[in-house]
Structures are given as C-alpha cells and as structure tokens.
Amino acid sequence: MIPAMVHKPLRAFRGLGSLLRRSYSGNIGENRAEKGLVLGLYEQEIESDEPRLTPVAGHFDAKTEGQLLNLIKESNLKGKIGSCKVFNNIDPDYGSVAVVGLGLEGLGYNELEQLDEGLENVRIAAGIGSKCLALQGCNRIWVDPMQATEQAAEGSGLATWKYQANRQKQDRIPIPKLDLFDSPDGDAWTRGLFKADAQNLARSLSDAPGNQITPTAFAQAAVDALCPCGVSTEVRNIDWIESKSMSSFLSVAKSSCEPPIFLEISYCGEHDSGRPILMVGKGVTFNSGGLCLKDPKGMSQYRASMSGAAAIVATIRAAAALSLPVNLVGLIPLCENMPSGMAFKPGDVITTLNGKTVAIHDTSNAGRLIMADTFIYGQTTFKPKVVMDVATLTEGVTHALGGAASGVFSNSDFLWKQMHKAGSITGDRVWRMPLWKYYTHKVTNYTNVDMSNTGQGKGSACLGAAFLKEFVPCVDWIHLDITGVGMLKKGVGIPYLAEERMTGRPTRTLIQFLYQMACPEEQQKALSKEKC
C-alpha cells in the first residue's frame, strides 16, 4: 500500500487561518436543526452480515443505545460506496445524521486502477455525506474521520465548496463550517482542509469569467493569496517583458488590449542556497484561438486556459501553509490570445528567447509560445534542479484520457515515478505519454525554420510536449497536460467535485509530489515518527 502524506507541524503565519475560515464558514447558527453529522458504514461482504460501522460511528451508535444501527437495518443500507441516508432527530446534539457507504473495509492500493482505493473511498463518502447535509440546510457539519482523517477533510472541503462570486450576496448558498468529530487528529484534519482550500482557490480562479480574470486581475488575486503566507510575489509589466526580449510571449500578448503580466513567485522552505524546483504555469486568461478561431459553441470554457497557472499559485500557497522544506520558484506568463489587427498570423515566423525560430501554423497553439520564453528565462536566472510545467496545452490529451487522468511527459523516470505515486495517493491520477524522437522530428523537421508550433500529423499532445522539450535541453523536466482534467468537462465522475464546473485539478497531486521531493523515501520513516 502506498503510504499517505505526512508533514511536519504546521507553521503559523499571518492571514492563512482567516482565509481558511472565510472559505469554509457560513452564517453559523446554534440551532440544532442546522447541525449535521457524517458517519461511515462499511459494505457488507455477505448479505447476512451485520452492518459494520467505523469505530467513531460505533461510539455514536452506543450513545444512541443502538438506535442508529436499527435505523440502518430498517433502511436496508449496505454500505456501498456513494450510498447515503439522512436520519433526523436521533440525537439531542445533531438535527441530521448522514450515514454514507465506504465500500469494503481494508482496501488499499489497486495496481490495475493505479489508485489507493481506501483513501479515495473516504474522500467520496465524506464528500457525499457533507453535501447531503449542506443541501438540507446544515450550517455546521461534523465529519467522522473514517480512519483516514486527512482524506475525509479533503472530500468534505471539496464537496461543500461552490463558485458563487457572481451571485447576489443574498442569493448565495452558505458554505457550512466543517469540524472533525470524535478524534484527536486535528493536525491531519487541518492539513486536509488546507489542501482542499488550495484546490478550491484554483477552482475559483479557473471558473471566473474572462472579463473578470484578466492578466492584471489574476496577478492581483495571486498577490492576495500568496502574500499573507509570506510568499514573495513580483509582478512584472510589459516594459520588463520587452527588456528581457521575450518576443515569443509578446507575439501572443500583443493581440489583446489587456496588457500582459509576468508573475515571479518565490517560496524558500529549505535554505537560500538550495537549488529550487521551477514551476511554470500556462496563463492564457482567455484563449479565443486568435485568428484561428475556436468553435464558438464551446469557446466559453477557454476562460480556463489559465488552469495551469491557477494550479501553480494554489500549490505554492499550500506548500507555504504546510511548511514544506523545499525551495520553489513559480513563473507565470499572463496574457490573452485574441483576434485583432495586432494578432500574430498563420505563416508568421517568431524568434524565441534562445534564438530558435518558430513557424506559426495555428494561432490557437499559443500557450506553448509564451511558455517557451518562460522556460529559457527561468533556467538562465534560477539554475533549477527540476523544471515542472502545468498547462491546458492540447485537446489531444482529452481524446486520449478523457477526464480520468492528466497526461504526463517527462525525460526523467524518477520524476515520473514520483508523480505517479502522488496521483495514486491523492486520487487525482496521472498517466505517462510518450516523449519520443519520432515526435521531435515532427516538430523540428522543417527546411526554412527551426520549429513549428503545431508539427506534422496526429498526436497533438505528444507534439505539444515535443515542442516544449526543445526549451529544457539540460535539466530534469516534467510536463502535465491538464486539458481534460482542469477545464470544464461533463461526466468526469468524481462525486466530491461539481459537474460542469472547473475542477482545480491536479492541485493536490502537485502538493503531494512536492512533499515527496522534499522528503525522500529514505527520510520518511524517521520523519513519520516526528509527524513530518
């Protein structure tokens, strides 16, 4: 079984506690009817078996003198994952009690599914139970830890959050306050809420309309989220971008009247001399496709072409909240890609920061152009030990994987194994895609230019990764194409995330990955004794 994430004690810092409280608390009343409790029930392996409650639920049943167990039997609840039944007025302290199915007890890592099923079932159960109680009007919800406290916090925190920024205040649905029930493991609960809060921040940024999250507005939101955590954030304007000769970035940015921004984020969790992990997020705040206009029917979802940038900001905030002992540099180029008289055109040739010439064969492939200059600047300036990027780069990865996993490309087996392990633990899975010379040739085999921003033939996700690889020649690198998981999709099938909304994925997987990089396996046994 893959081990769960563990951490050192949380570092207290200015502002994050209030951010978390604002995210998870509504108008909390003391009315008993507005208080709810989520309890877990394991699936019966044999039809004749007695219903098996979690240890905490068993204690609660004893408090009700067996009334809860009798109601479970009468309701024919079998504990199947995702099943839920709400009972009212069975306890003087809680108006509603939701009993949720956890599936079979003792599940662990499933090699075929590439998933720790036990941990994921806890997220699902806690999320479904909390959502049911929230829909019943509970403003304060206590949650059974279900023997995986951190995951119970993640599931309930993700399931009860809603994007409501554009509803009138009087019409907004209160987000309930979440509390841990009958367990001393408050640190794990807080960690889970921090990680859920980070993903919800990414959801909030990704789901905002394009006219509200412009490059400037995104930069301000990043400053607001990171500065209270003690994370340094530099906001560079167009003059700075021009002074650095980022022609590839500017070729995209000049198509819009919204000025471009370059964000430089620094988190020092180790020591000043330690080489950082460089994290690059694609920040096209609206991608119309430029002159190669995208299909108007689905164009509104491309407000989330900055989902990679949102995930980077959220991940670095969580790293600071959890005091991860690692140095991070986040670089986020922000701009819009619009059709205009200033837009770059099919057939144009642009020059990137390292001198490579790129033929523009499709103006909708703009993200890779702004990231190319960012890669070169980041490696030259910060000398990172690892380069990671997160981007909604191609629709091809959606055709290949749907919403089940992020496509991962890497020149390092070690980085891939760490990311794969992280996705297995968080339930937000990843899948490795080929980064072969075959695709490099399809991108670079041109007589008049060094590269094409599209390449030849099919396999757009692989061609996009091959393009980016040309800008990280001498460093370990991992690329996540998150188009299928980070943007608006139907039928993703994750019960603790809202359908047809932006997901904030793969924020929690990135956090877990950074923890593993900061705490190598040879240290984890010793660190676990200290509750690292």
Side-chain angles (χ1 to χ4, degrees), residues 38-40 42 54 56 100 102 121-122 125-126 143-149 152:
V38 178
L39 298 173
Y42 291 110
T54 64
V56 166
V100 288
L102 275 165
N121 284 357
V122 169
V143 181
D144 177 353
M146 304 179 193
Q147 302 189 78
T149 306

Side-chain angles (χ1 to χ4, degrees), residues 295-352:
D295 185 351
K297 291 182 180 178
M299 193 184 293
S300 66
Q301 70 175 319
Y302 291 97
R303 68 186 187 275
S305 279
M306 34 59 70
S307 292
I312 294 296
V313 170
T315 298
I316 294 176
R317 191 179 86 166
L322 299 167
S323 301
L324 293 186
V326 63
N327 292 341
L328 304 174
V329 171
L331 299 181
I332 299 174
L334 294 159
C335 68
E336 293 180 340
N337 181 26
M338 302 294 286
S340 73
M342 293 292 289
F344 67 123
K345 305 172 291 296
D348 284 358
V349 175
I350 62 174
T351 303
T352 60

Side-chain angles (χ1 to χ4, degrees), residues 410-426:
S410 183
N411 60 6
S412 164
D413 286 342
F414 172 76
L415 293 182
W416 156 245
K417 288 175 182 176
Q418 292 300 314
M419 189 65 73
H420 175 252
K421 176 181 174 182
S424 302
I425 291 171
T426 64

